[in-house]
Amino acid sequence: MSWGALYAQLGGVNKHSTSLGKIWLSVLFIFRITILVLAAESVWGDEQSDFTCNTQQPGCKNVCYDHFFPVSHIRFWCLQLIFVSTPALLVAMHVAYRKRGVKRDLIANRGDKANEEDLESLKKKRLPITGPLWWTYTCSLFFRLLFEGGFMYALYFVYDGFQMPRLVKCEQWPCPNKVDCFISRPTEKTVFTIFMVASSAICIVLNVAELVYLIAKALMRCSARTKRRHSYAHPDHMSKDKAYMQNQKNEMLLSSASDSSTSKSV
């Protein structure tokens, strides 16, 4: 599946997302996938051919490269983006399942009267993030955060930081001794690595903010629902309070009327 097909799938989720979710998708495709496809791949190129060591020992260069770069940065970021985007596809499948059920009910109720306009409006309808869809959406955010944090830690652990060194010293077998190996364009690669890590950090912040927003909205809905249930469960107390207030008003009116009649008689 190409990046364009992935964008088409996530675009359907974007319609049912919050504003923060739409910003996350824009950051994902503009600052991560586009930079990765257009710039980062050309910067790294054929990494192993540009990796040089000051020895002619057969196999030493390959072993040293495998030791310092067990996974290519480009392939690592591609794997990260696929894992990060996968939870959003769960939301897309949930929305498609819900709409398929509504479409089935619509056809069952109206039969042949279900015209194309109703079906088209059903496709364009935005589902509210409540009920089961809320659970699916929040779970997708949680897994996004888990994958983003895990891949950032793995990148730091595998490459011993986010900075690309100019020189590495290798003493792996079959190298005859400690040899010096040089990495091509280390400064440019460091800039792109920091840029990709910063973009990933921005996505983490957006996911956390969206998760907090959804939880706060759910708590507000639960609070409003509890208040309504409380008011429906105790209507007698409210009627008694209203009757008591009305009696107090009547007593005040009677007392004021009696005072005015007394003053007139005097």
Side-chain angles (χ1 to χ4, degrees), residues 129-173:
I129 306 176
T130 56
L133 183 58
W134 183 90
W135 287 102
T136 304
Y137 201 98
T138 51
C139 287
S140 70
L141 288 175
F142 175 77
F143 282 111
R144 271 191 233 163
L145 289 170
L146 191 65
F147 289 141
E148 289 278 20
F151 273 95
M152 285 184 68
Y153 175 77
L155 181 67
Y156 185 87
F157 178 77
V158 170
Y159 298 107
D160 196 20
F162 301 132
Q163 187 172 3
M164 191 70 64
R166 291 181 171 85
L167 170 69
V168 291
K169 295 184 178 294
C170 177
E171 48 185 349
Q172 301 293 318
W173 187 86

Side-chain angles (χ1 to χ4, degrees), residues 174-192:
C175 297
N177 48 27
K178 184 181 290 187
V179 298
D180 296 334
C181 297
F182 301 91
I183 301 171
S184 66
R185 292 181 289 187
T187 304
E188 192 174 9
K189 291 178 179 178
T190 300
V191 170
F192 272 97

Side-chain angles (χ1 to χ4, degrees), residues 81-95:
L81 291 172
I82 290 172
F83 269 84
V84 169
S85 304
T86 301
L89 298 178
L90 296 176
V91 180
M93 289 189 291
H94 186 109
V95 170

Side-chain angles (χ1 to χ4, degrees), residues 7-49:
Y7 180 78
Q9 292 293 329
L10 294 179
V13 183
N14 197 27
K15 182 171 60 176
H16 306 280
S17 302
T18 62
S19 299
L20 292 170
K22 294 175 182 177
I23 296 172
W24 171 82
L25 186 63
S26 300
V27 172
L28 180 72
F29 275 91
I30 295 175
F31 293 101
R32 298 180 71 177
I33 293 179
T34 305
I35 295 298
L36 178 65
V37 173
L38 297 180
E41 287 185 353
S42 61
V43 170
W44 261 262
D46 189 2
E47 303 171 60
Q48 192 168 357
S49 63

Side-chain angles (χ1 to χ4, degrees), residues 211-231:
L211 187 61
V212 171
Y213 171 76
L214 289 175
I215 293 175
K217 290 276 288 184
L219 291 176
M220 291 172 61
R221 285 195 300 268
C222 290
S223 176
R225 196 179 303 120
T226 303
K227 288 180 180 179
R228 286 198 299 269
R229 288 177 181 174
H230 183 74
S231 62

